[in-house]
């Protein structure tokens, strides 16, 4: 994909609306990164996949960087990972290149490098794009983050230098020129401004109490995973209708119900989620409970149906869910 000459119109090779509906924390799981990169290369070819990976990371980074800028928590003096960032970033020192701001840092999680250890180059494109977009929004400038060392290439750390566009432009480096062309920050920012970060619509219902519960239910789709954040049995059950009617839900084979470790209301017992589990089973998927209510542990019930497994955290559920989905594909 070529960048627009006027910087105002951008023809993306992916669905922007579907991208911004996703949780970027899920994206940076190594297995998800491997799957995404492979799918992009099959559909777009090598060069198209590289540009798409950069732009996808940048758009998600812009969304999260904007949230960080609003809370004024994007960095601290202790060098801890940036707040509100799906990709942990540690900033070391700042400098100036021809009066342009330059930041030097690292990605301590090395998620993308671990996902693409077989690559000799371009392993961390989504991370470069995410960092570029995140810093551009957090600082209100146009920033490009360039990886300077990578664990996928045998280095001990994944490090980057982030520099304002006017600083990079003085360097006669073909790699930098290509990255700048692939990330037209004003055009990408305009797209995020126009579309925002929409949530998936959930079904309405005539009952006002149930409709209120549905409206507050957060649903995240990263095929093959679906994550439902809700302790309301009716809302969780109705959310499964997305599997039947929303194109973004195609390929979902694992449904994670995230309770976030909260105390369950009196009407939200394990027995109340039997219809939910039955509905997941009818759709040929597996259910995982993440961070179940602690009061359920007092009297584990003997129910007709139970989830495939339970995990203590959402992160564990996502990792396990990807493994389950992979095993499902082997058995298909």
């Amino acid at each position: 994909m070529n960048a627009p000459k006027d910087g105002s119109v951008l023809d993306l090779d992916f669905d922007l609306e579907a991208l911004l509906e996703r949780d970027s924390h899920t994206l940076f799981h190594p297995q998800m990164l491997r799957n995404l990169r492979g799918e992009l290369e099959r559909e777009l070819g090598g060069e198209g996949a590289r540009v798409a990976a950069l732009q996808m990371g940048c758009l998600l980074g812009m969304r999260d960087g904007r949230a960080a800028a609003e809370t004024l928590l994007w960095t601290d003096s202790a060098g801890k990972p940036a707040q509100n960032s799906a990709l942990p970033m540690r900033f070391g020192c700042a400098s100036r290149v021809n009066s342009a701001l330059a930041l030097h840092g690292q990605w301590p999680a090395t998620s993308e490098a671990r996902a693409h250890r077989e690559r000799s180059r371009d392993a961390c494109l989504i991370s470069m794009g995410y960092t570029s977009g995140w810093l551009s929004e957090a600082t209100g400038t146009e920033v490009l983050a360039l990886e300077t060392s990578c664990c996928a290439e045998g280095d001990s750390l994944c490090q980057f230098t982030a520099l304002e566009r006017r600083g990079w432009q003085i360097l006669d480096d073909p790699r930098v020129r290509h990255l700048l062309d692939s990330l037209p920050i004003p055009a990408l920012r305009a797209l995020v401004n126009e579309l925002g970060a929409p949530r998936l619509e959930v079904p309405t219902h005539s009952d006002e109490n149930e409709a209120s519960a549905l409206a507050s239910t957060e649903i995240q789709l990263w095929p093959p995973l679906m994550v439902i954040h809700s302790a309301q049995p009716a809302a969780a059950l109705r959310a499964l209708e997305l599997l039947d009617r929303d194109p973004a839900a195609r390929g979902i084979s694992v449904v994670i119900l995230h309770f976030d470790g909260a105390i369950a209301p009196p009407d939200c017992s394990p027995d109340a989620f039997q219809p939910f589990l039955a509905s997941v089973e009818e759709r040929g998927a597996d259910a995982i409970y993440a961070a179940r209510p602690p009061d359920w542990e007092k009297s584990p019930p003997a129910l007709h149906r139970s989830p495939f497994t339970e995990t203590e955290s959402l992160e564990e559920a996502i990792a396990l869910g990807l493994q389950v989905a992979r095993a499902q594909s082997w058995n298909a």
Side-chain angles (χ1 to χ4, degrees), residues 113-151:
R114 288 186 287 116
H116 303 308
R117 287 194 180 277
E118 75 282 1
R119 298 180 183 275
S120 59
R121 58 185 293 269
D122 292 340
C124 296
L125 287 171
I126 293 179
S127 298
M128 284 195 289
Y130 185 93
T131 304
S132 299
W134 197 92
L135 286 172
S136 292
E137 289 302 292
T139 62
T141 58
E142 295 183 36
V143 176
L144 170 66
L146 178 68
E147 188 173 36
T148 55
S149 68
C150 182
C151 292

Side-chain angles (χ1 to χ4, degrees), residues 41-92:
E41 290 183 348
R42 286 191 297 272
E43 293 184 0
L44 306 175
E47 181 56 29
R50 286 190 284 273
V51 172
L54 275 168
Q55 292 179 346
M56 292 174 78
C58 186
L59 288 161
L60 288 171
M62 283 182 165
R63 183 192 64 184
D64 293 354
R66 186 169 301 178
E70 290 173 355
T71 59
L72 301 178
L73 290 173
W74 71 276
T75 188
D76 61 38
S77 58
K80 295 179 181 178
Q83 300 294 318
N84 296 324
S85 169
L87 174 67
M89 296 175 283
R90 295 186 186 274
F91 300 105

Side-chain angles (χ1 to χ4, degrees), residues 18-212:
L19 174 71
L20 291 181
E21 285 171 351
R22 305 301 198 258
D23 179 4
S24 47
H25 287 79
T26 309
L27 173 64
F28 283 101
H29 187 280
Q31 184 63 49
M32 184 64 73
L33 286 164
R34 277 192 293 271
N35 293 345
L36 176 61
R37 191 68 173 272
E39 181 179 347
L40 289 175
E41 290 183 348
R42 286 191 297 272
E43 293 184 0
L44 306 175
E47 181 56 29
R50 286 190 284 273
V51 172
L54 275 168
Q55 292 179 346
M56 292 174 78
C58 186
L59 288 161
L60 288 171
M62 283 182 165
R63 183 192 64 184
D64 293 354
R66 186 169 301 178
E70 290 173 355
T71 59
L72 301 178
L73 290 173
W74 71 276
T75 188
D76 61 38
S77 58
K80 295 179 181 178
Q83 300 294 318
N84 296 324
S85 169
L87 174 67
M89 296 175 283
R90 295 186 186 274
F91 300 105
C93 59
S95 61
R96 291 278 174 180
V97 176
N98 277 13
S99 79
L101 173 67
L103 291 169
H104 308 280
Q106 62 174 280
W107 300 308
T110 66
S111 302
E112 200 167 7
R114 288 186 287 116
H116 303 308
R117 287 194 180 277
E118 75 282 1
R119 298 180 183 275
S120 59
R121 58 185 293 269
D122 292 340
C124 296
L125 287 171
I126 293 179
S127 298
M128 284 195 289
Y130 185 93
T131 304
S132 299
W134 197 92
L135 286 172
S136 292
E137 289 302 292
T139 62
T141 58
E142 295 183 36
V143 176
L144 170 66
L146 178 68
E147 188 173 36
T148 55
S149 68
C150 182
C151 292
E153 298 181 7
D155 298 313
S156 58
L157 298 170
C158 285
Q159 297 177 305
F160 63 86
T161 292
L163 182 63
E164 287 183 271
R165 175 178 287 264
R166 57 195 173 93
W168 285 121
Q169 286 175 332
I170 67 171
L171 302 176
D172 186 20
D173 186 332
R175 183 186 180 198
V176 170
R177 288 200 303 272
H178 173 71
L179 292 173
L180 290 172
D181 288 342
S182 299
L183 293 178
I185 297 297
L188 293 169
R189 181 177 285 146
L191 287 175
V192 176
N193 289 340
E194 178 182 350
L195 197 57
R199 291 184 183 274
L200 290 170
E201 294 182 1
V202 295
T204 58
H205 194 271
S206 57
D207 183 277
E208 292 185 0
N209 292 331
E210 185 174 338
S212 175

